């Protein structure tokens, strides 16, 4: 897909700020002539995650074609359409899609933004439409009305959560619950009435909470994801620990940061294989080489699931009589990560990986166990704007 132009970028920013989650397609000259478009990997994942369609289980041939009710936006309203989703018998059954009537509203290399509402597909030609004019026009069109309705519905939970955190922040210094890096998150979640558990879903009604001590400048955790052990040379965190770990006190551990820029002190580094769409962790030891693999599509899916909507909550930390207290100061509210940026930020060392593996004794028997708190994918603290569309910032003071 070609780079976005200024109008397309503006449209995407506005729609993102209105809580419209989109995926993008670009019709080619051949595609318009033959009435076909490739259903790209991000687009297929977009449909699958929303329960619209699973190309992975679809058979080849016209008898397996699926039809989804769709709508193509114009400046004045929506034109009824149908999306045909199919896999041809030829060319390995490469997934295809087409919208009836699209040729009247799209030219070669136009950028189409696709979103889902009530299990139907909506098509916005971001190259031709000016979303700002549509939303700010004197006459309220069906397009503007739908966008505003989706936005207002999505904002209800965010406003509810913002009110609760403002109420907490108004209390000033609050004694920490627990100690260490996890204390701030545990404290805030307890105050919000969120029970501690090991779930992977967002914390508050679909909104992920990421709280942090503001003055430390630490990298921000995006998500945790173990390698695909079926593809990897090493088949467990314990094997990685055995190979690269070191003794610290009573523990045998591997706590380190790994990036694509250069090997760390353990000789570990990351690289991206663009042909295989994989992130690979490698050792400088030639006899080991590549030992852990993540499918990039899996990491993209985890990022989108975890950070569909996130409150990044900063707090000042002060210690009084050896007891830590937090004062919550500000929130950065992000939505819909730009998945295509994830790989680039990995390559530039802005997103890195942390191993947090250790082997400990339970203190009662000689039996030991391996604990894995990661691997954690983290981003530099001042680089969120490179991964997310423009955010909304709130002061809690």
């Amino acid at each position: 897909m070609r780079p976005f132009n200024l109008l397309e970028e503006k449209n995407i920013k506005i729609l993102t700020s209105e809580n419209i989650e989109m995926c993008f397609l670009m019709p080619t000259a051949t595609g318009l002539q033959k009435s076909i478009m490739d259903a790209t990997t991000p687009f297929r994942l977009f449909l699958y995650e929303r329960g619209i369609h699973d190309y992975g289980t679809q058979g080849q041939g016209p008898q397996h074609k699926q039809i989804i009710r769709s709508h193509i936006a114009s400046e004045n309203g929506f034109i009824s359409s149908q999306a045909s989703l199919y896999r041809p018998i030829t060319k390995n059954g490469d997934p295809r899609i087409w919208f009836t009537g699209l040729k009247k509203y799209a030219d070669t290399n136009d950028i189409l933004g696709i979103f889902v509402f009530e299990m139907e597909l909506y098509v916005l030609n971001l190259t031709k439409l000016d979303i700002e004019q549509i939303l700010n026009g004197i006459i309220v069109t069906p397009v503007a009305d739908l966008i505003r309705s989706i936005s207002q519905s999505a904002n209800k939970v965010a406003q509810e959560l913002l009110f609760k955190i403002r109420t907490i922040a108004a209390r000033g210094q609050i004694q920490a619950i627990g100690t260490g890096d996890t204390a701030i998150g545990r404290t805030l979640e307890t105050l919000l009435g969120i029970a501690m558990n090991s779930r992977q879903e967002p914390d508050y009604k679909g909104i992920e909470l990421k709280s942090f001590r503001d003055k430390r400048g630490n990298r921000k955790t995006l998500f945790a994801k173990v390698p695909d052990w079926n593809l990897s040379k090493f088949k467990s965190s314990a094997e990685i620990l055995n190979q690269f770990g070191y003794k610290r006190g009573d523990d045998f551990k591997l706590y380190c940061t790994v990036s694509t820029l250069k090997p760390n002190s353990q000789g570990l580094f990351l690289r991206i294989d663009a042909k295989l769409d994989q992130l690979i962790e490698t050792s400088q030891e030639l006899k080991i080489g590549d030992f852990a693999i993540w499918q990039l599509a899996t990491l993209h899916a985890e990022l989108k699931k975890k950070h569909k909507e996130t409150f990044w909550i900063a707090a000042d930390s002060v210690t009084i009589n050896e007891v830590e207290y937090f004062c919550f100061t500000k929130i950065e509210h992000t939505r819909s990560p730009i998945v295509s940026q994830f790989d680039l930020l990995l390559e530039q060392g802005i997103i890195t990986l942390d191993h947090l593996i250790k082997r400990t004794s339970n203190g009662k028997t000689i039996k030991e166990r391996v604990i894995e708190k990661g691997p954690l994918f983290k981003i530099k603290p001042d680089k969120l704007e490179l991964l997310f569309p423009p955010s909304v910032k709130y002061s809690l003071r």
Side-chain angles (χ1 to χ4, degrees):
M1 183 175 291
R2 63 168 177 78
F4 299 139
N5 63 32
L6 292 179
L7 175 61
E8 293 157 357
E9 284 188 2
K10 185 183 77 168
N11 284 337
I12 293 169
K13 289 179 181 179
I14 292 172
L15 290 166
T16 300
S17 70
E18 298 289 349
N19 300 294
I20 306 296
E21 297 181 42
M22 295 178 296
C23 194
F24 307 104
L25 293 175
M26 186 183 75
T28 63
T30 301
L32 283 174
Q33 180 183 0
K34 296 183 176 180
S35 298
I36 59 172
M37 287 188 292
D38 290 333
T40 62
T41 299
F43 182 73
R44 299 198 300 270
L45 183 62
F46 180 81
L47 296 185
Y48 175 77
E49 289 178 341
R50 286 151 184 80
I52 298 294
H53 183 67
D54 182 3
Y55 278 102
T57 60
Q58 185 176 17
Q60 294 178 235
Q63 69 273 26
H64 298 291
K65 180 186 294 185
Q66 297 292 314
I67 303 296
I68 305 295
R69 186 175 179 183
S70 304
H71 312 267
I72 301 174
S74 70
E75 291 182 352
N76 299 318
F78 290 103
I79 292 84
S80 293
S81 176
Q82 289 185 334
S84 300
L85 298 88
Y86 60 98
R87 297 180 60 215
I89 295 176
T90 58
K91 294 186 177 180
N92 300 317
D94 294 339
R96 309 286 196 212
I97 184 170
W98 185 252
F99 297 92
T100 57
L102 182 63
K103 293 180 182 180
K104 296 179 180 179
Y105 301 96
D107 293 323
T108 300
N109 294 339
D110 282 356
I111 301 297
L112 307 179
I114 318 296
F115 69 92
V116 175
F117 180 68
E118 295 184 345
M119 303 304 288
E120 297 178 0
L121 299 180
Y122 287 78
V123 182
L124 299 172
N125 189 327
L126 303 178
T127 305
K128 298 188 182 304
L129 297 175
D130 189 322
I131 303 301
E132 185 177 31
Q133 288 186 7
I134 292 174
L135 292 178
N136 297 332
I138 297 175
I139 299 175
V140 179
T141 68
V143 177
D145 188 52
L146 179 60
I147 292 173
R148 295 297 191 201
S149 296
I150 294 173
S151 179
Q152 290 171 9
S153 176
N155 273 330
K156 286 182 180 179
V157 173
Q159 291 302 314
E160 172 188 302
L161 178 58
L162 178 61
F163 175 79
K164 289 189 174 185
I165 296 178
R166 285 193 187 279
T167 301
I168 292 170
R171 294 167 54 180
Q173 292 181 346
I174 298 171
Q175 183 172 336
I177 298 174
T179 59
D181 291 340
T182 62
I184 185 168
R186 181 176 299 179
T187 301
L188 180 61
E189 291 187 8
T190 299
L191 294 170
L192 289 170
I194 300 172
M196 294 291 293
N197 58 52
S198 59
R199 69 195 181 288
Q200 295 298 314
E201 298 303 314
D203 300 301
Y204 188 90
K205 299 181 181 181
I207 299 178
E208 179 73 7
L209 303 179
K210 289 293 185 182
S211 47
F212 56 94
R213 297 166 177 85
D214 194 24
K215 294 183 179 179
R216 288 192 176 184
N218 290 345
R219 291 163 300 138
K220 294 180 171 68
T221 299
L222 294 171
F223 57 84
K225 194 67 179 177
V226 297
D228 185 327
W229 301 122
N230 291 325
L231 297 175
S232 303
K233 176 182 291 187
F234 291 165
K235 303 302 181 182
S236 68
S237 297
E239 286 190 44
I240 296 176
L241 177 63
N242 289 340
Q243 186 65 50
F244 305 112
Y246 48 84
K247 187 73 173 177
R248 283 291 184 274
D250 294 332
D251 297 331
F252 187 73
K253 62 172 57 176
L254 178 65
Y255 278 31
C256 67
T257 297
V258 190
S259 84
T260 58
L261 298 183
K262 62 181 181 179
N264 63 13
S265 57
Q266 283 81 23
L268 309 181
F269 61 97
L270 302 173
R271 65 180 181 87
I272 289 178
D273 188 317
K275 291 183 178 180
L276 296 177
D277 289 327
Q278 293 176 343
L279 175 67
I280 300 172
E281 188 171 8
T282 300
S283 169
Q284 282 185 303
E285 294 187 43
L286 296 180
K287 65 179 181 180
I288 299 175
D290 299 342
F291 64 87
I293 295 174
W294 293 260
Q295 296 281 17
L296 287 172
T298 301
L299 299 179
H300 297 168
E302 191 69 20
L303 176 66
K304 291 175 70 174
K305 181 180 77 171
K306 196 70 172 176
H307 292 289
K308 177 181 178 182
E309 186 171 7
T310 304
F311 272 27
W312 306 84
I313 306 151
D316 290 338
S317 170
V318 61
T319 300
I320 303 174
N321 296 328
E322 299 185 352
V323 176
E324 187 175 22
Y325 292 82
F326 299 120
C327 183
F328 296 97
T329 58
K330 57 187 176 183
I331 296 172
E332 185 168 1
H333 183 190
T334 61
R335 288 188 173 100
S336 304
I338 307 169
V339 174
S340 59
Q341 288 288 94
F342 182 81
D343 302 356
L344 176 63
L345 298 180
L346 275 169
E347 289 178 337
Q348 295 181 351
I350 293 172
I351 292 177
T352 51
L353 177 149
D354 277 18
H355 283 298
L356 297 169
I357 317 172
K358 68 177 179 179
R359 180 182 292 113
T360 61
S361 170
N362 63 14
K364 296 180 180 179
T365 69
I366 60 172
K367 186 176 181 180
E368 296 180 328
R369 59 176 182 151
V370 172
I371 300 172
E372 166 68 280
K373 296 182 179 179
L376 300 179
F377 287 84
K378 296 188 174 187
I379 188 169
K380 290 184 177 180
D382 58 343
K383 301 299 183 181
L384 283 181
E385 72 276 7
L386 298 179
L387 186 61
F388 295 90
S391 60
V392 180
K393 297 179 181 179
Y394 305 103
S395 174
L396 300 177
R397 294 187 182 276

